């Protein structure tokens, strides 16, 4: 399967079932906050959360804990980021992110990853 070239394409592929999103539960909070900041709209934030609830498989912090601790110690990544890294590892899934530091930590941890910014640039 070809990698998505934009966040919009990534979301479309999740909607059509071309792949499954694997997310730590904290992704719901992050999505709500990231969408709320520029829009100041509960409706927009709720749409983003509902999208994840519909198209994602969620992993609890307790389930990810052991891998998250090991990854955090090995990479020095933030506690927040290690939950996403541990989720990708547990799911044996590719991490696709627009966060360069998270991408670099994933590579350091041996987790398959792609930087969405790189994919989005011409």
């Amino acid at each position: 399967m070809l990698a998505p070239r934009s966040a919009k394409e990534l979301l479309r592929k999740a909607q059509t079932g071309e792949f499954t999103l694997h997310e730590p539960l904290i992704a719901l909070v992050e999505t709500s906050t990231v969408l709320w900041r520029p829009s100041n709209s509960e409706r927009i934030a709720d749409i983003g959360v509902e999208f994840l609830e519909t198209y994602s498989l969620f992993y609890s912090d307790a389930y990810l804990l052991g891998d998250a601790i090991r990854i955090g110690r090995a990479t020095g990544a933030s506690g927040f980021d290690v939950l996403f890294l541990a989720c990708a590892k547990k799911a044996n899934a590719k991490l696709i992110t627009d966060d360069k530091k998270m991408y670099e930590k994933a590579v350091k941890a041996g987790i398959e990853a792609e930087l969405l910014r790189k994919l989005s640039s011409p």
Side-chain angles (χ1 to χ4, degrees):
M1 169 178 45
L2 294 174
R5 295 200 306 226
S6 68
K8 186 175 180 179
E9 186 177 348
L10 177 101
L11 298 176
R12 185 188 57 73
K13 286 180 180 252
Q15 282 181 303
T16 61
E18 290 181 56
F19 62 79
T20 302
L21 300 173
H22 297 271
E23 307 281 357
L25 282 171
I26 194 69
L28 294 168
V29 175
E30 176 70 356
T31 298
S32 178
T33 303
V34 165
L35 292 175
W36 170 262
R37 272 188 233 129
S39 69
N40 204 27
S41 167
E42 286 187 33
R43 182 176 176 275
I44 290 171
D46 288 346
I47 288 169
V49 168
E50 289 169 12
F51 182 92
L52 286 185
E53 290 174 334
T54 301
Y55 298 105
S56 300
L57 294 177
F58 290 100
Y59 297 76
S60 73
D61 292 358
Y63 180 69
L64 300 173
L65 186 62
D67 282 329
I69 289 171
R70 285 187 289 281
I71 292 167
R73 289 177 181 168
T75 65
S78 72
F80 178 81
D81 286 358
V82 297
L83 288 171
F84 286 88
L85 298 171
C87 186
K89 181 176 176 148
K90 280 276 194 193
N92 195 28
K94 181 189 297 183
L95 178 80
I96 300 175
T97 180
D98 73 344
D99 182 325
K100 187 175 181 185
K101 287 183 182 178
M102 188 188 300
Y103 167 79
E104 290 168 350
K105 300 293 184 178
V107 171
K108 183 175 182 179
I111 296 167
E112 183 181 5
E114 291 197 41
L115 187 58
L116 193 57
R117 291 178 191 170
K118 179 182 171 190
L119 295 173
S120 298
S121 58

